[in-house]
Amino acid sequence: MSDLTALPDLPVTFRPGHTRAILLTAAVAIFLTISGIALLLEGLGPGERMSFVVTGALLFWFLAQLARIKVVADESGVTVVNIASKRRLDWAEILQVNLRPGDPWVFLNLSDGTSLPALGIQPGIARERAIADARALRALAEAHSAARLGEDRD
């Protein structure tokens, strides 16, 4: 079992910070560029200009959705926010936290026999941080599992 003194204080949020910064910066830059082009091009009608702005806004929204991924752990469980979904898990539902070499992100093995990708911890740009975050989440899951077993024995 993991060293309990190394557990992070709860609540704790895990997210790929560098990736998030890059995505949000790109989203703003793309929106401003497309909107600027719409304003600078001569011969466009109001509807055509609006279509440029709407396209920029849709691209911004898509990149913002990619940037919102995170894993939030608190006393009662974990919330996994992926690109198009959000799922709340009790600690008892998490059997194992995996980040194997070559995995694009953490996978949570669940008590119902399924595996849930947790995109909020991914080794893409900041590999060492992702490994540390995966270890912290694993330690939290193990600590809550041990505490639950202790309660069951009482």
Side-chain angles (χ1 to χ4, degrees):
M1 181 152 129
S2 300
D3 180 13
L4 294 178
T5 61
L7 293 177
D9 294 331
L10 295 177
V12 62
T13 300
F14 303 105
R15 70 175 71 215
H18 291 93
T19 302
R20 179 178 166 87
I22 291 167
L23 286 169
L24 291 175
T25 301
V28 170
I30 289 169
F31 176 75
L32 292 175
T33 300
I34 291 175
S35 297
I37 289 170
L39 296 174
L40 294 175
L41 283 177
E42 296 177 16
L44 292 181
E48 293 167 319
R49 290 183 196 279
M50 185 56 71
S51 70
F52 271 78
V53 173
V54 168
T55 300
L58 287 172
L59 290 170
F60 179 91
W61 175 83
F62 178 73
L63 292 174
Q65 289 299 106
L66 292 176
R68 77 183 195 110
I69 60 175
K70 63 184 173 182
V71 176
V72 181
D74 59 35
E75 290 296 333
S76 61
V78 174
T79 302
V80 177
V81 179
N82 286 334
I83 296 169
S85 66
K86 179 178 179 179
R87 184 163 176 196
R88 176 74 184 162
L89 302 165
D90 291 331
W91 285 111
E93 294 179 79
I94 302 171
L95 300 179
Q96 192 175 26
V97 177
N98 290 317
L99 180 60
R100 296 175 298 258
D103 280 350
W105 40 71
V106 163
F107 289 91
L108 304 177
N109 290 341
L110 305 179
S111 59
D112 65 2
T114 63
S115 180
L116 176 67
L119 279 62
I121 303 174
Q122 51 182 266
I125 296 175
R127 181 169 176 69
E128 295 304 316
R129 178 175 173 191
I131 291 169
D133 288 351
R135 286 182 179 149
L137 184 59
R138 182 179 300 129
L140 285 167
E142 289 173 359
H144 283 84
S145 175
R148 191 174 51 254
L149 288 174
E151 290 173 3
D152 291 345
R153 291 183 186 151
D154 293 339

